[in-house]
């Protein structure tokens, strides 16, 4: 990465912001490899995603006012993971996944004391279905009615009603432990298979 950053004219001009579309694309390619690819696909796509991390760190290392490099990134990550796993590193006990989650959430809450809302920290750039599922999950327990009911069998007549219907479905997905984003991706894969099959017919 250092060699590329120093000797590739294109790479020298790239900024964090310029890299965002590539980061999104590579992240989705990893997801596709996990859900639909081979082990070789996953190995390759994880490497491409790692390249994005290395690229961002190389850009950050050249910042004139607040530089940091990949070693700083790794050190920050290590400190965070040690804090969030007291049952591994600090003598606490967790024998079930639920107990692990209690430790994780307690450590995370301590780190984020400056947050004023349960919604703080949710990245707004997430895909809409995944964002909706995150917001609905965070809103649970606040008293807010974020998953408005849509009459069964009704067909949305406006875009606003469609939004209500989608949000209601996301709330159902969350209550069942389903991933709305993945469910739609998998259904779309079946549609793609059907389209390709139809195209192949004489």
């Amino acid at each position: 990465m250092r060699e590329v950053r120093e000797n590739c004219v294109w790479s020298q001009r790239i900024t964090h912001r310029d890299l965002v579309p590539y980061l999104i694309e590579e992240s989705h390619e990893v997801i596709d490899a996990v859900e639909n690819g081979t082990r070789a696909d996953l190995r390759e796509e994880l490497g491409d995603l790692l390249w994005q991390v290395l690229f961002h760190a190389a850009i950050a290392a050249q910042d004139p006012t607040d530089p940091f490099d990949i070693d700083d990134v790794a050190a920050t990550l290590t400190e965070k993971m040690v804090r969030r796993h007291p049952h591994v590193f600090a003598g606490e006990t967790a024998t079930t996944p639920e107990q692990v989650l209690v430790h994780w959430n307690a450590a995370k809450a301590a780190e984020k004391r400056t947050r004023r809302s349960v919604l703080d920290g949710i990245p707004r750039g997430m895909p809409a279905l995944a964002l909706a599922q995150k917001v609905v999950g965070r809103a649970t327990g606040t008293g807010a009615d974020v998953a408005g009911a849509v009459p069964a069998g009704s067909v949305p007549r406006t875009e606003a009603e469609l939004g209500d219907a989608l949000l209601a479905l996301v709330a159902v997905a969350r209550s069942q432990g389903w991933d709305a984003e993945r469910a739609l991706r998998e259904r779309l894969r079946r549609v793609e298979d059907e389209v390709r099959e139809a195209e192949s017919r004489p």
Side-chain angles (χ1 to χ4, degrees):
M1 182 71 248
R2 189 176 298 113
E3 290 286 319
V4 168
R5 182 70 174 166
E6 290 175 358
N7 298 302
C8 171
V9 177
W10 182 86
S11 298
Q12 290 169 353
R13 297 178 180 176
I14 291 294
T15 66
H16 290 298
R17 189 175 293 273
D18 295 332
L19 277 181
V20 166
Y22 302 103
L23 179 60
I24 292 169
E25 181 178 346
E26 297 299 351
S27 298
H28 284 285
E29 288 180 0
V30 169
I31 293 168
D32 192 51
V34 167
E35 294 181 352
N36 206 39
T38 65
R39 299 289 291 171
D41 293 334
L42 180 58
R43 183 171 60 245
E44 178 182 354
E45 298 306 340
L46 285 172
D48 290 346
L49 186 59
L50 177 59
W51 184 255
Q52 293 299 307
V53 174
L54 294 170
F55 210 151
H56 277 284
I59 294 169
Q62 295 175 328
D63 187 276
T65 56
D66 187 17
F68 61 82
D69 62 15
I70 192 65
D71 291 330
D72 299 315
V73 172
T76 300
L77 175 62
T78 299
E79 291 167 7
K80 180 193 288 187
M81 290 302 109
V82 168
R83 273 195 317 273
R84 293 191 182 180
H85 292 83
H87 54 291
V88 176
F89 299 104
E92 297 288 342
T93 301
T95 57
T96 67
E98 293 76 18
Q99 290 173 340
V100 170
L101 195 57
V102 168
H103 288 306
W104 179 276
N105 287 335
K108 190 171 181 179
E111 294 166 12
K112 312 294 183 186
R113 280 190 289 267
T114 59
R115 292 185 175 172
R116 297 290 176 251
S117 168
V118 295
L119 302 180
D120 289 347
I122 297 177
R124 305 305 303 172
M126 291 175 71
L129 277 178
L131 177 61
Q133 194 151 328
K134 194 79 168 175
V135 169
V136 168
R138 292 275 187 95
T140 301
T142 65
D145 182 17
V146 296
V150 175
S154 68
V155 176
R157 292 164 303 192
T158 66
E159 194 167 292
E161 287 183 4
L162 176 61
D164 290 341
L166 289 170
L167 187 57
L169 285 172
V170 167
V172 169
R174 185 186 177 280
S175 71
Q176 296 295 323
W178 301 332
D179 184 324
E181 192 80 23
R182 182 174 61 227
L184 184 56
R185 278 197 310 272
E186 290 180 354
R187 182 65 185 94
L188 286 171
R189 285 195 185 101
R190 294 201 299 277
V191 169
E192 290 169 3
D193 290 342
E194 292 163 9
V195 168
R196 289 191 175 96
E197 183 181 344
E199 289 174 331
S200 68
R201 293 180 194 136

